[in-house]
Amino acid sequence: SAVLLPGSQADLGAITARDRMYRGNVVVYATGMVQGVGADCPELSGYALIAGVRAADNQWIRRDTLANVLDSVVVCPPEVHWSGDLMGDGTPDALMFQKTPSGIRLLLFLSDAVPNEDELWARVAEWNLGY
């Protein structure tokens, strides 16, 4: 697992998709600020989780902000729990894990379920597991 605190990133692997223009590595990174120490997780402000494709020369080919990862109830930063090519389209998918006040939350992001080609992933499922 890679906890995605502001300023950190997780490299999820190479793209080998049909579209050769977007060859590169999929990277998920977090922006924002840690404002203080919370009871279960740090107090964050301006947090955003971004998935992008980075070329071999470290230039960004494209980026996509993943919406609604933090909300008024779930304020802990997510962790990349698993990544791999689940759907066989040549682009890594990801399962993210997040602590909640009453348990854990799992978020599944798939690359082949995006509504348009400008997006890298779509959040297709969410599970909330209580203690």
Side-chain angles (χ1 to χ4, degrees):
S1 292
V3 178
L4 293 165
L5 289 168
S8 66
Q9 70 178 32
D11 188 347
L12 303 186
I15 287 184
T16 58
R18 300 171 295 264
D19 186 354
R20 298 295 180 206
M21 187 173 87
Y22 291 116
R23 292 183 64 88
N25 286 333
V26 173
V27 176
V28 178
Y29 66 96
T31 62
M33 293 177 21
V34 176
Q35 296 288 96
V37 178
D40 294 320
C41 56
E43 296 174 10
L44 303 174
S45 70
Y47 186 87
L49 195 61
I50 300 165
V53 179
R54 188 169 52 204
D57 61 0
N58 285 332
Q59 295 296 315
W60 291 105
I61 296 171
R62 64 180 178 172
R63 289 184 258 188
D64 181 20
T65 301
L66 304 175
N68 302 322
V69 175
L70 298 183
D71 57 34
S72 61
V73 176
V74 182
V75 295
C76 293
E79 302 176 29
V80 176
H81 183 68
W82 173 89
S83 69
D85 188 5
L86 187 64
M87 303 308 290
D89 64 349
T91 302
D93 304 301
L95 180 66
M96 298 203 188
F97 167 93
Q98 210 171 12
K99 293 179 187 175
T100 69
S102 60
I104 62 170
R105 174 185 187 190
L106 296 171
L107 304 165
L108 179 61
F109 292 92
L110 296 179
S111 60
D112 72 332
V114 294
N116 64 56
E117 292 183 15
D118 293 333
E119 297 177 10
L120 183 62
W121 281 340
R123 187 164 100 189
V124 297
E126 178 178 325
W127 298 273
N128 291 290
L129 308 169
Y131 292 131

